[in-house]
């Protein structure tokens, strides 16, 4: 397995920030020629990333989170997500391979076939599931959850929804360096914008930081799909800043990026009634992607992100292009 690009660019991180390779890199890039005639659209397809029972963007985060949990001597991951959480499923499957248990507090979301299938996978994953129903009840249950999942005097390693901690965010700093290498090798032109779904913020924050550190000028466009967290541009940039400081504390000689909220575009117009709720725009984007690109998207994250990309391209809000769509879905 190759060393991560962050270790190659910043050698002190090899000892201070351990990495566990869980997928094959680099993920492919390709032109999506039939989506829109307005701007050239490219895709970096993360759906195949991950060698276990789930893939996509969550695995990039776990490559840094799991070795950090082991370094701290944790025996259990404790996290939270919606009933159909991709994050919780990925965490449970990959943590199990590393000898770690997983407990997940599950918050209600609209139930459809996608959610029912995810719940079935979660039950099979071996994770302990707590149906806490609401954000308020989850917060109230937190002390009991920590005690319930302590082992040998060790508290569980807590992860917020999506694993969007500074350590988890390193996954998309790494992916941004990977994209920069693909641009340098001529696999795709440098995009003016990179469009991604924003469910917890870590992917967008990692991209915003990593693109600047890697020398690309591409602007991150985050399409908010979750109304239960604060996910505006200041919050995204604050997480990127905490990740930048983590790199510096662990020995990386990184230039100060000076990222501000003005450097990230965050849009909420494609959220619909709330997290997990279907929208007609996402349904049309899913159908178009299936018919013209062979991309397998889903309605909660990537369908809404692609719907936003198409509408913003038509409105010339993504000029001058080309635009890169990050496909973060990871079904198996």
């Amino acid at each position: 397995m190759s060393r991560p690009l962050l270790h190659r660019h910043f050698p002190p991180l090899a000892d201070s920030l351990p990495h566990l390779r869980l997928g094959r890199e680099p993920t492919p890039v390709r032109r999506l020629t039939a989506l829109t005639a307005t701007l050239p659209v490219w895709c970096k397809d993360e759906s195949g990333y991950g060698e276990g029972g789930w893939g996509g963007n969550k695995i990039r985060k776990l490559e840094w989170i799991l070795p950090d949990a082991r370094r701290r001597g944790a025996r259990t991951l404790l996290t939270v997500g919606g009933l159909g959480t991709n994050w919780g499923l990925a965490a449970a499957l990959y943590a199990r391979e590393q000898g770690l248990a997983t407990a997940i507090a599950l918050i209600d979301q609209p139930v459809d076939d996608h959610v029912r299938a995810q719940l079935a996978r979660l039950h099979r994953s071996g994770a302990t599931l707590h149906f806490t129903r609401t954000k308020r009840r989850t917060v109230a249950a937190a002390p009991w959850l920590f005690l319930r999942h302590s082992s040998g005097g060790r508290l569980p390693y807590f992860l917020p929804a999506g694993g969007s901690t500074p350590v988890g965010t390193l996954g998309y700093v790494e992916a941004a360096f990977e994209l920069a290498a693909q641009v340098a090798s001529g696999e795709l032109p440098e995009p003016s914008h990179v469009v991604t779904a924003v469910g917890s913020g870590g992917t967008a924050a990692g991209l915003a930081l990593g693109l600047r550190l890697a020398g690309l000028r591409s602007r991150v466009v985050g399409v908010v799909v979750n109304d239960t967290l604060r996910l505006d541009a200041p919050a995204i940039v604050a997480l990127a800043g905490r990740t930048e400081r983590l790199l510096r504390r662990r020995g990386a000689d990184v230039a100060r990026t000076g990222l501000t909220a003005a450097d990230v575009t965050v849009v909420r117009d494609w959220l619909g009634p709330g997290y997990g709720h279907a929208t007609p725009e996402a349904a049309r984007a899913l159908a178009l992607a299936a018919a013209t690109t062979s991309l397998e998207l889903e309605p909660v994250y990537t369908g809404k992100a692609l719907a936003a990309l198409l509408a913003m391209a038509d409105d010339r809000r993504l000029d001058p292009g080309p635009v890169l769509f990050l496909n973060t879905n990871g079904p198996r």
Side-chain angles (χ1 to χ4, degrees):
M1 290 286 186
S2 61
R3 289 190 303 151
L5 292 169
L6 282 176
H7 286 178
R8 291 184 233 171
H9 283 274
F10 309 108
L13 297 181
D15 294 323
S16 61
L17 275 171
H19 178 266
L20 174 67
R21 180 70 71 190
L22 297 173
R24 295 181 183 272
E25 43 73 40
T27 55
V29 293
R30 62 184 171 105
R31 176 90 180 265
L32 304 179
T33 56
L35 274 180
T36 175
T38 308
L39 286 173
V41 178
W42 288 71
C43 175
K44 184 166 175 62
D45 193 354
E46 298 281 272
S47 64
Y49 196 82
E51 302 295 325
W54 195 255
N57 65 328
K58 315 304 184 188
I59 316 309
R60 297 264 194 188
K61 299 177 181 181
L62 288 166
E63 289 187 325
W64 301 91
I65 287 169
L66 291 176
D68 190 58
R70 291 193 303 187
R71 183 179 65 86
R72 296 188 184 194
R75 299 179 181 178
T76 301
L77 302 184
L78 173 61
T79 192
V80 63
L83 289 175
T85 174
N86 294 340
W87 157 249
L89 178 63
L93 293 172
Y94 287 88
R96 185 177 64 186
E97 292 180 357
Q98 303 303 314
L100 295 169
T102 303
I104 312 171
L106 294 172
I107 296 172
D108 288 348
Q109 70 178 88
V111 176
D112 56 14
D113 289 344
H114 171 74
V115 172
R116 279 187 282 270
Q118 284 295 83
L119 268 173
R121 296 183 185 106
L122 283 166
H123 280 292
R124 294 194 299 267
S125 73
T128 301
L129 306 180
H130 299 282
F131 293 86
T132 49
R133 305 290 305 274
T134 67
K135 183 177 180 179
R136 178 176 295 181
R137 287 179 58 177
T138 303
V139 171
W144 178 83
L145 289 169
F146 273 91
L147 287 173
R148 165 70 174 76
H149 293 286
S150 295
S151 176
R154 298 180 185 275
L155 291 172
Y157 184 100
F158 176 70
L159 291 159
S164 290
T165 64
V167 172
T169 298
L170 292 172
Y172 273 85
V173 179
E174 174 77 11
F177 273 87
E178 182 178 298
L179 175 62
Q182 291 172 306
V183 170
S185 68
E187 293 181 57
L188 78 162
E190 180 177 350
S192 65
H193 298 81
V194 179
V195 178
T196 184
V198 176
S200 60
T203 297
L207 285 172
L209 175 59
L211 290 169
R212 292 298 171 269
L213 292 177
L216 294 185
R217 296 163 295 175
S218 310
R219 184 182 184 89
V220 174
V221 178
V223 182
V224 174
V225 300
N226 186 354
D227 58 341
T228 68
L229 300 172
R230 182 187 168 191
L231 294 170
D232 55 11
I236 300 296
V237 170
L239 178 55
R242 293 196 298 275
T243 306
E244 183 177 335
R245 290 190 292 274
L246 171 68
L247 288 170
R248 200 169 285 115
R249 285 197 309 273
R250 299 294 177 90
D253 183 16
V254 297
R256 296 184 183 274
T257 61
L259 282 173
T260 70
D263 295 314
V264 177
T265 299
V266 176
V267 294
R268 301 180 63 89
D269 300 349
W270 289 268
L271 172 63
Y275 178 73
H277 287 265
T279 66
E281 296 85 359
R284 288 194 292 271
L286 260 68
L288 179 64
T292 63
T293 71
S294 74
L295 287 178
E296 183 178 351
L297 307 183
E298 41 66 48
V300 179
Y301 296 87
T302 48
K304 292 180 180 181
L306 183 60
L309 184 157
L310 295 172
M312 294 176 77
D314 288 345
D315 292 343
R316 298 292 182 182
R317 293 169 64 184
L318 299 178
D319 286 351
V323 179
L324 181 71
F325 174 64
L326 189 73
N327 179 23
T328 56
N329 189 31
R332 292 287 185 272

